[in-house]
């Protein structure tokens, strides 16, 4: 059996079954071995691993330290939309030039939505979560916020994001943007909070379907009366590379560093992991998943097409 090496530092919390008595009583052998061994060392400033079935913490590193979270913000953007009263996923949204201008001004990742095209809410969710489209994020915030202007509606949507965080008990989370592009660095969360948020979001069938998609092709009525074809690749290269990976979201900004919220399912065990500010986010996610599943996985990393968005 593969043996892991590493030491436990004081920054790690491990939900371990320490005594051999407890292991013998209730825990399957593979899980007992995984939980009895120390967690792997990772480069992340903050990390967390959660068993979503039991809602049990498996491992953590500086899990309650507030940090900028970049585009992992969009998990909350999607959840607020999906839990909106009277949601119609087939509602068409007309793309405004404002959305494109915002992306250009911000230098943000984009779904390259074209002005005048009509995309459904469901399509915008794909544009939000796969290529990490900040234009799609703005379109959704503008559609699901309230007010007389785009600025008022997007601001009210951000208020809904913060209200949802409070409702979910995410006490160390705050949003000042709908996409993670934060001018005032007042957009932050913790590995623990992001894991709990994602556990809630993964219970939504639409969210689950979107975030596990490696790529998608969508068509929409174009402004000129013809049909526009959109092709989006998921920026999360854990998908299509690691056996059992089912999501969730990347994020990268200069303040936040490379971030990754990920999920995997093997057998009857589903876990959500969070890595904040980690240049080795994918290898470290693999380490964390192999540790929890007590295995060594051979991975050939999926390569994004040259013209695909990176995040």
């Amino acid at each position: 059996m593969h043996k892991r090496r590493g030491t436990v530092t004081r920054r790690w919390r491990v939900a371990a079954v320490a005594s051999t008595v407890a292991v013998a009583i209730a825990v399957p052998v593979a899980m007992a071995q995984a939980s009895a061994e120390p967690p792997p060392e990772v480069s992340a400033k903050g990390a967390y691993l959660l068993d979503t079935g039991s809602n049990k913490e498996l491992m953590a590193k500086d899990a309650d330290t507030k940090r900028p979270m970049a585009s992992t913000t969009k998990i909350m953007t999607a959840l607020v939309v999906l839990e909106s009263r009277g949601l119609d996923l087939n509602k068409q949204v007309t793309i405004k030039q404002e959305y494109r201008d915002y992306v250009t001004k911000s230098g943000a990742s984009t779904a390259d939505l074209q002005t005048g095209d009509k995309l459904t809410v469901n399509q915008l969710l794909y544009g939000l979560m796969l290529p990490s489209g900040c234009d799609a994020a703005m379109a959704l915030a503008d559609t699901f916020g309230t007010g007389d202007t785009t600025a008022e509606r997007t601001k009210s949507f951000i208020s809904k994001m913060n209200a949802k965080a409070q409702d979910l008990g995410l006490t160390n989370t705050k949003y000042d943007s709908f996409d993670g592009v934060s001018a005032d660095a007042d957009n932050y969360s913790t590995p623990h909070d992001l894991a709990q948020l994602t556990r809630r979001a993964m219970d939504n069938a639409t969210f689950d379907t979107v975030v596990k998609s490696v790529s998608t092709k969508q068509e929409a009525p174009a402004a000129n009366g013809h049909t526009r074809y959109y092709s989006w690749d998921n920026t999360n290269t854990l998908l299509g590379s690691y056996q059992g990976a089912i999501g969730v979201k990347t994020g990268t900004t200069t303040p936040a560093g490379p971030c990754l919220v990920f999920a995997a399912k093997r057998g009857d065990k589903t876990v959500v992991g969070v890595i904040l500010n980690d240049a080795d986010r994918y290898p470290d996610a693999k380490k964390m998943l192999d540790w929890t599943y007590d295995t060594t996985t051979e991975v050939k990393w999926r390569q994004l097409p040259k013209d695909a968005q990176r995040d």
Side-chain angles (χ1 to χ4, degrees):
M1 179 169 292
H2 174 68
K3 295 290 289 181
R4 301 179 191 77
R5 296 178 181 177
T7 57
V8 182
T9 73
R10 63 184 178 181
R11 293 177 298 168
W12 285 100
R13 298 198 302 267
V14 185
V17 182
S19 74
T20 55
V21 174
V23 170
I25 291 174
V27 185
V29 173
M31 286 182 63
Q33 290 168 338
S35 60
E37 293 184 2
E41 293 290 330
V42 296
S43 302
K45 298 293 186 184
Y48 195 81
L49 193 63
L50 177 73
D51 185 320
T52 62
S54 63
N55 197 26
K56 179 182 178 182
E57 175 186 296
L58 299 176
M59 55 187 275
K61 177 183 179 181
D62 286 348
D64 299 314
T65 301
K66 299 173 184 175
R67 299 185 187 280
M69 56 183 151
S71 283
T72 63
T73 295
K74 290 165 182 162
I75 297 169
M76 180 61 90
T77 307
L79 185 64
V80 169
V81 169
L82 288 166
E83 294 191 352
S84 295
R85 184 174 299 176
L87 174 65
D88 178 6
L89 288 170
N90 295 315
K91 174 184 171 66
Q92 287 190 325
V93 177
T94 301
I95 303 306
K96 299 177 182 179
Q97 182 63 35
E98 285 177 274
Y99 309 157
R100 293 182 59 83
D101 292 344
Y102 167 75
V103 165
T104 300
K105 181 179 178 181
S106 304
S109 52
T110 178
D112 197 23
L113 304 179
Q114 297 297 304
T115 303
D117 286 6
K118 297 180 184 296
L119 282 81
T120 65
V121 170
N122 194 61
Q123 289 174 320
L124 288 173
L125 288 168
Y126 278 94
L128 174 78
M129 301 302 286
L130 272 65
S132 197
C134 294
D135 45 357
M138 188 174 187
L140 290 166
D142 191 21
T143 300
F144 287 87
T146 56
D148 296 328
T149 66
T150 298
E152 289 176 355
R153 289 188 292 271
T154 54
K155 184 177 180 179
S156 81
F157 185 85
I158 295 166
S159 295
K160 291 182 179 183
M161 295 169 69
N162 284 308
K164 180 72 71 177
Q166 288 186 342
D167 289 345
L168 297 179
L170 309 181
T171 56
N172 291 317
T173 297
K174 184 179 178 182
Y175 300 98
D176 71 356
S177 75
F178 46 75
D179 57 0
V181 178
S182 175
D184 300 320
D186 206 20
N187 196 86
Y188 56 79
S189 188
T190 67
H192 170 270
D193 280 8
L194 276 167
Q196 289 296 334
L197 169 64
T198 302
R199 178 175 182 258
R200 168 67 167 258
M202 294 292 284
D203 282 339
N204 183 284
T206 299
F207 184 92
D208 179 74
T209 298
V210 169
V211 300
K212 71 172 57 169
S213 302
V214 172
S215 62
T216 187
K217 295 184 184 299
Q218 303 285 336
E219 58 182 66
N224 62 8
H226 296 146
T227 299
R228 182 92 59 193
Y229 297 93
Y230 289 95
S231 294
W232 295 314
D233 293 280
N234 201 316
T235 58
N236 175 14
T237 56
L238 197 67
L239 289 170
S241 301
Y242 188 89
Q243 179 188 348
I246 55 173
V248 174
K249 188 70 192 76
T250 58
T252 305
T253 61
T254 300
C259 301
L260 179 66
V261 178
F262 57 97
K265 181 177 182 179
R266 289 191 182 183
D268 59 357
K269 186 175 185 180
T270 301
V271 297
V272 165
V274 179
I275 288 173
L276 297 182
N277 201 341
D278 186 354
D280 296 320
R281 57 183 170 175
Y282 293 114
D284 282 344
K286 176 191 177 299
K287 284 183 190 178
M288 292 167 68
L289 290 172
D290 276 357
W291 176 78
T292 195
Y293 289 121
D294 191 36
T295 188
T296 301
T297 305
E298 296 297 326
V299 172
K300 181 179 180 180
W301 295 104
R302 174 172 62 92
Q303 298 299 307
L304 289 168
K306 187 186 304 184
D307 60 348
Q309 290 290 299
R310 266 73 175 170
D311 184 24

